[in-house]
C-alpha cells in the first residue's frame, strides 16, 4: 500500500472547508428564519437559533443598529463570513 503525503492533507483541507461551510450554513439559516419570522416555538427553529447563537457568540450584539433585523444580519452575518473566509483560507493553505 502506497502512502501519498498530498492525499492526507487534501482530505484534511476538505474536512476543514466542509466544517466551515456547515457553520456558515447554520448561521445563514438562522438569519433567514429570523427575517421570515419563523415560529420560535418550533424545535427546529429553536435548535438553529441556539446553534447560531453559540457559533456567533463573539459577534452577536457587536453592532448597535436601531432595527433588530439589522443587528441580526450584521452580527450573525459577520460570523458566517469570517468562518467561510478563515475556513477556506486554512483549507487552501493546507492543500498547498
Amino acid at each position: 500500500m502506497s502512502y501519498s503525503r498530498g492525499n492526507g492533507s487534501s482530505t484534511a483541507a476538505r474536512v476543514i472547508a466542509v466544517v466551515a461551510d456547515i457553520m456558515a450554513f447554520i448561521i445563514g439559516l438562522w438569519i433567514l428564519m429570523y427575517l421570515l419570522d419563523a415560529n420560535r416555538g418550533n424545535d427546529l427553529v429553536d435548535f438553529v437559533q441556539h446553534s447560531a447563537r453559540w457559533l456567533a457568540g463573539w459577534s452577536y450584539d457587536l453592532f448597535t443598529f436601531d432595527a433588530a433585523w439589522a443587528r441580526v444580519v450584521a452580527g450573525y452575518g459577520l460570523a458566517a463570513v469570517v468562518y467561510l473566509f478563515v475556513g477556506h483560507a486554512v483549507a487552501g493553505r493546507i492543500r498547498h
Side-chain angles (χ1 to χ4, degrees), residues 2 4-5 13 15-16 20 30 33-34 40 43-44 53 58-59 64 67 69 72 75-76 78-79 88 95:
S2 68
S4 173
R5 184 174 179 193
V15 168
I16 290 169
W30 168 243
M33 287 179 170
Y34 182 87
R40 306 271 171 96
D43 290 337
L44 176 63
R53 186 107 190 237
W58 59 272
S59 67
T64 57
W69 69 268
V72 169
Y76 286 101
L78 174 65
H88 285 269
R95 276 191 199 105

Side-chain angles (χ1 to χ4, degrees), residues 28-83:
L29 185 60
W30 168 243
I31 292 170
L32 184 63
M33 287 179 170
Y34 182 87
L35 292 175
L36 295 175
D37 200 24
N39 178 7
R40 306 271 171 96
N42 182 285
D43 290 337
L44 176 63
V45 175
D46 187 56
F47 173 76
V48 171
Q49 179 185 14
H50 284 88
S51 299
R53 186 107 190 237
W54 183 79
L55 289 169
W58 59 272
S59 67
Y60 178 75
D61 280 344
L62 185 63
F63 302 100
T64 57
F65 297 113
D66 289 334
W69 69 268
R71 285 192 304 273
V72 169
V73 171
Y76 286 101
L78 174 65
V81 168
V82 168
Y83 286 132

